[in-house]
Amino acid sequence: MTSLDLGLIGNGTIGALTNPLGEIVWACFPRFDGDPMFCSLLHERTRDTDFGFFTVELIDVATHEQEYFPNTPILVTRLHDRQGGAIEITDFAPRFRQHGRMFCIAGNPRVRVRVRPARDYGRARTEITCGSNHVRYLGTDLVLRLTTDASITAIVEETPFFLEDAITLLVGPDETVQGAVGEIGSRFLEESAGYWRDWVRSLGIPFEWQDAVIRAAITLELNVYEDTGAIVAAMTTSVPEAPGTARTWDYRYCWLRDAYFVVNALNRLGATRTMERYLGYIVNVVAGAENGRLQPVYGLSGRSLIEERVIDSLPGYRGTGPVRVGNQAHRQVQHDVYGAAILTATHVFFDRRLVRRGDQILFRRLETLGEQAARLYDQPDAGIWELRGTPRVHTFSSVMCWAGCDRLARIAAYLGLDDRAVYWRSQATRIHQFICERCWNAEKGSFVAAVNHDALDASLLRLAELGFVAEDDPRFAGTVRAIERELRRGDFVFRYVEPDDFGRPENAFLVCTFWYINALAALGRRDEARALFENLLACRNRHGLLAEHIDPRTREQWGNFVQTYSMVGLIGSAIRLSVRWDQAF
């Protein structure tokens, strides 16, 4: 049965998901949001739809194992047959547009290579043409080329053959590969491993849970689109939030809110280049925003998304549809995005490691966003959870508007712009007062999710981390207690529990439990926080990866994969809970 026990490889242009037997079940070309030419994740293979995958089948396979090379996104799958033969498949994507597979052997294994890309979201199998050492797969917008030192006939006809020596398969755009394929593959592997190990070596990680943090950081970096700096929320579309639900969304785009969380997490680890690249992306988005009005989500180029539509050619994950392309959220009003954009850019004014620092020109651009925040903080929107029903004045959106104005005041003071510092401090104070008066529920002893509304949502756990209230503020402790009463289910915290446009939520949104863990630590309840954190770590798949949701009863992961929110949450909680290096030994 299809599951999310998958490994992720990538290179900043493409990302691919591989199952425990080494089958590539998801990969979009020519970039993250492209046509999924390998898409068996979203359909069960039948006689009529036996395509959309890339696999190396070991004849008479008996056992399998899979792991990453340490500190890299290079994935190794080992398959063993019943006669003592074995193959080792090394999957990786170099930091340019090729995907490499290398096969090593033991014994006398017999294999069958099956490369069956789909086109037009699984609507049909691609046509093929062949050359002396390559096969071309003709998609709708892209011709994919497989270059190899294996038998072309064996690959095209899917004929089993004995593997006498290591072979290499390079998959990429329709371009001629110069040189011997095996030598190129070996060089790509060596250079890719070196690149990632150097990248990891530059990180400032906590003492505890180092492997978990490193894997999370690499995974976040794989979700950064190298060409523009955009950060996608996840590699997939339409993995449902729960079995049988219509909550199936396309996450292969850049949410300004999600990207802020990713940049903040990587910056705390010292990976500042991601922040610099994303800042270039967001500055271009802001420059193109009419009157400073921002959408919640943009395409990888910074342009508006295509309209959300349903794809009838893919039945969906475990048969649960609909499968969607595009996302209606780009039409929504979500006022927290102004604060998210400003908070993302705030780092560059204060981080002295950076060559290009924030200046008055960037500050003036950010002021345009601040004006929107100061104008819209008390207006209804769809909120952080992108509710498609009746708009409300959401507390988290108002708090993020406050945060945007608060940070502008700090930036202005840092730049010596005293009059602007006074102005933005007054705007922040005004918004702060509104939230304290209109979003506080004295009967519950808690902040609530929206004005004139007594329900809670988990984003309120962020109030102290954003600096809206102090960690020792009784109102924060009261809010955490209220969320424990109403949103906690066993070891997990739901984002909200009231019914929405699609009914009552069935599974827990993973990042909310990380937020709860951080709140417990802030309140001095570190032992509880550490126990819950260890519990969440045990919920990861074999590669240390997390999806968006989890079933609190079965602990099975659901939702788009790999979810950047969840990996960000892991990093943040590890940093907060770990003992300090200077106290470790």
Side-chain angles (χ1 to χ4, degrees):
M1 182 173 66
T2 304
S3 78
L4 296 180
D5 191 14
L6 307 171
L8 171 67
I9 65 170
N11 64 358
T13 300
I14 61 168
L17 296 172
T18 303
N19 75 10
L21 287 172
E23 176 183 332
I24 296 178
V25 299
W26 185 262
C28 298
F29 295 91
R31 61 185 198 180
F32 300 150
D33 59 350
D35 192 4
M37 300 181 79
F38 302 122
C39 55
S40 55
L41 180 68
L42 296 186
H43 74 79
E44 297 293 337
R45 283 154 49 182
T46 67
R47 178 176 298 179
D48 295 328
T49 61
D50 194 19
F51 52 84
F53 61 90
F54 181 2
T55 185
V56 177
E57 299 174 350
L58 176 63
I59 306 302
D60 202 24
V61 64
T63 61
H64 58 85
E65 58 196 57
Q66 194 176 63
E67 63 183 354
Y68 282 113
F69 279 2
N71 296 352
T72 78
I74 299 170
L75 191 65
V76 179
T77 306
R78 300 181 184 91
L79 306 178
H80 305 265
D81 65 23
R82 300 182 194 280
Q83 291 73 45
I87 64 171
E88 183 176 273
I89 307 169
T90 303
D91 274 307
F92 65 100
R95 291 293 285 187
F96 38 91
R97 294 186 301 162
Q98 262 121 3
H99 164 69
R101 309 198 83 173
M102 301 182 66
F103 306 90
C104 301
I105 61 171
N108 193 28
R110 190 163 175 254
V111 301
R112 179 170 62 163
V113 178
R114 303 177 73 198
V115 186
R116 294 190 174 188
R119 61 179 177 82
D120 194 18
Y121 284 86
R123 194 167 300 280
R125 186 175 173 181
T126 60
E127 298 178 2
I128 66 173
T129 64
C130 300
S132 61
N133 70 340
H134 70 268
V135 184
R136 298 168 72 243
Y137 301 90
L138 282 62
T140 49
D141 299 319
L142 175 78
V143 175
L144 200 64
R145 179 186 289 234
L146 167 64
T147 306
T148 182
D149 49 10
S151 165
I152 295 297
T153 301
I155 290 175
V156 172
E157 297 184 1
E158 299 181 349
T159 306
F161 60 94
F162 286 102
L163 196 59
E164 305 292 346
D165 199 354
I167 64 172
T168 300
L169 295 93
L170 302 177
V171 179
D174 188 25
E175 300 169 359
T176 301
V177 173
Q178 302 293 334
V181 175
E183 293 177 3
I184 292 171
S186 296
R187 177 169 58 83
F188 285 178
L189 177 61
E190 181 180 355
E191 291 181 357
S192 295
Y195 170 88
W196 284 106
R197 286 167 179 160
D198 285 345
W199 187 83
V200 168
R201 194 177 293 116
S202 71
L203 299 178
I205 59 175
F207 176 76
E208 296 181 90
W209 308 293
Q210 293 183 39
D211 290 338
V213 170
I214 288 170
R215 182 55 51 199
I218 290 173
T219 303
L220 293 182
E221 189 68 10
L222 293 180
N223 282 267
V224 179
Y225 183 54
E226 182 77 18
D227 187 54
T228 65
I231 302 170
V232 297
M235 286 291 170
T236 59
T237 179
S238 304
V239 180
E241 296 179 6
T245 182
R247 300 175 191 266
T248 54
W249 319 117
D250 191 348
Y251 276 12
R252 299 170 300 159
Y253 309 111
C254 184
W255 271 259
L256 303 189
R257 177 193 313 112
D258 299 44
Y260 155 66
F261 282 112
V262 171
V263 166
N264 191 50
L266 290 177
N267 199 55
R268 293 179 70 184
L269 296 176
T272 57
R273 185 166 177 263
T274 301
M275 174 181 63
E276 292 177 289
R277 282 182 291 162
Y278 178 68
L279 184 62
Y281 174 84
I282 195 68
V283 165
N284 286 320
V285 166
V286 171
E290 186 175 351
N291 298 320
R293 300 282 311 233
L294 292 179
Q295 298 173 185
V297 55
Y298 290 85
L300 299 187
S301 67
R303 294 182 177 179
S304 297
L305 296 186
I306 57 176
E307 291 299 313
E308 182 179 299
R309 69 186 192 277
V310 171
I311 300 297
D312 60 9
S313 51
L314 290 172
Y317 181 81
R318 297 188 189 171
T320 296
V323 172
R324 305 176 199 264
V325 174
N327 200 300
Q328 187 223 20
H330 80 282
R331 288 186 168 273
Q332 288 188 357
V333 173
Q334 298 175 27
H335 298 324
D336 66 297
V337 297
Y338 300 103
I342 294 169
L343 264 63
T344 301
T346 298
H347 289 282
V348 303
F349 291 92
F350 298 95
D351 193 333
R352 302 194 68 85
R353 293 172 296 177
L354 305 180
V355 175
R356 295 187 61 184
R357 303 277 302 286
D359 55 19
Q360 290 194 31
I361 295 174
L362 177 58
F363 173 72
R364 299 298 182 187
R365 288 175 176 164
L366 297 179
E367 283 196 299
T368 303
L369 304 182
E371 293 295 352
Q372 291 288 356
R375 186 173 68 86
L376 298 170
Y377 71 93
D378 60 351
Q379 298 301 303
D381 73 348
I384 182 176
W385 308 124
E386 301 186 337
L387 301 177
R388 299 192 174 195
T390 304
R392 297 169 179 163
V393 181
H394 288 95
T395 303
F396 183 78
S397 295
S398 299
V399 169
M400 288 298 285
C401 288
W402 165 83
C405 295
D406 174 78
R407 279 21 170 217
L408 286 175
R410 300 186 193 196
I411 294 169
Y414 181 77
L415 295 176
L417 305 174
D418 296 340
D419 59 330
R420 303 312 295 163
V422 170
Y423 173 78
W424 287 113
R425 179 56 55 207
S426 68
Q427 297 298 323
T429 300
R430 180 168 61 93
I431 299 172
H432 198 283
Q433 183 176 358
F434 167 83
I435 297 168
C436 292
E437 292 176 355
R438 301 292 302 278
C439 302
W440 173 258
N441 186 306
E443 185 176 335
K444 285 182 176 287
S446 168
F447 286 99
V448 288
V451 172
N452 299 324
H453 193 67
D454 62 0
L456 300 175
D457 82 73
S459 66
L460 300 170
L461 294 167
R462 297 276 305 159
L463 294 181
E465 289 198 57
L466 289 168
F468 183 82
V469 294
E471 292 182 349
D472 60 356
D473 190 318
R475 294 174 299 177
F476 180 61
T479 300
V480 175
R481 287 194 297 268
I483 287 174
E484 287 174 327
R485 292 193 305 267
E486 299 189 20
L487 301 186
R488 183 171 174 175
R489 300 290 184 272
D491 292 328
F492 305 97
V493 174
F494 278 60
R495 52 185 170 178
Y496 54 85
V497 295
E498 60 179 333
D500 58 20
D501 317 302
F502 296 88
R504 192 177 297 275
E506 298 178 48
N507 287 337
F509 198 84
L510 275 165
V511 74
C512 298
T513 305
F514 286 115
W515 291 348
Y516 175 60
I517 288 168
N518 294 348
L520 292 180
L523 295 174
R525 298 163 59 182
R526 292 183 61 85
D527 289 344
E528 293 177 68
R530 289 177 66 92
L532 282 175
F533 183 63
E534 292 284 3
N535 173 70
L536 273 187
L537 291 182
C539 294
R540 297 172 299 156
N541 75 5
R542 74 176 69 198
H543 300 302
L545 306 180
L546 291 168
E548 181 183 49
H549 283 75
I550 193 165
D551 186 325
R553 299 165 295 278
T554 67
R555 303 197 169 203
E556 182 177 12
Q557 295 192 52
W558 290 86
N560 281 311
F561 185 86
V562 177
Q563 176 69 12
T564 54
Y565 254 152
S566 301
M567 306 312 289
V568 163
L570 187 158
I571 291 172
S573 293
I575 291 173
R576 176 174 278 273
L577 294 174
S578 175
V579 298
R580 288 166 33 187
W581 278 90
D582 60 355
Q583 297 175 348
F585 42 76

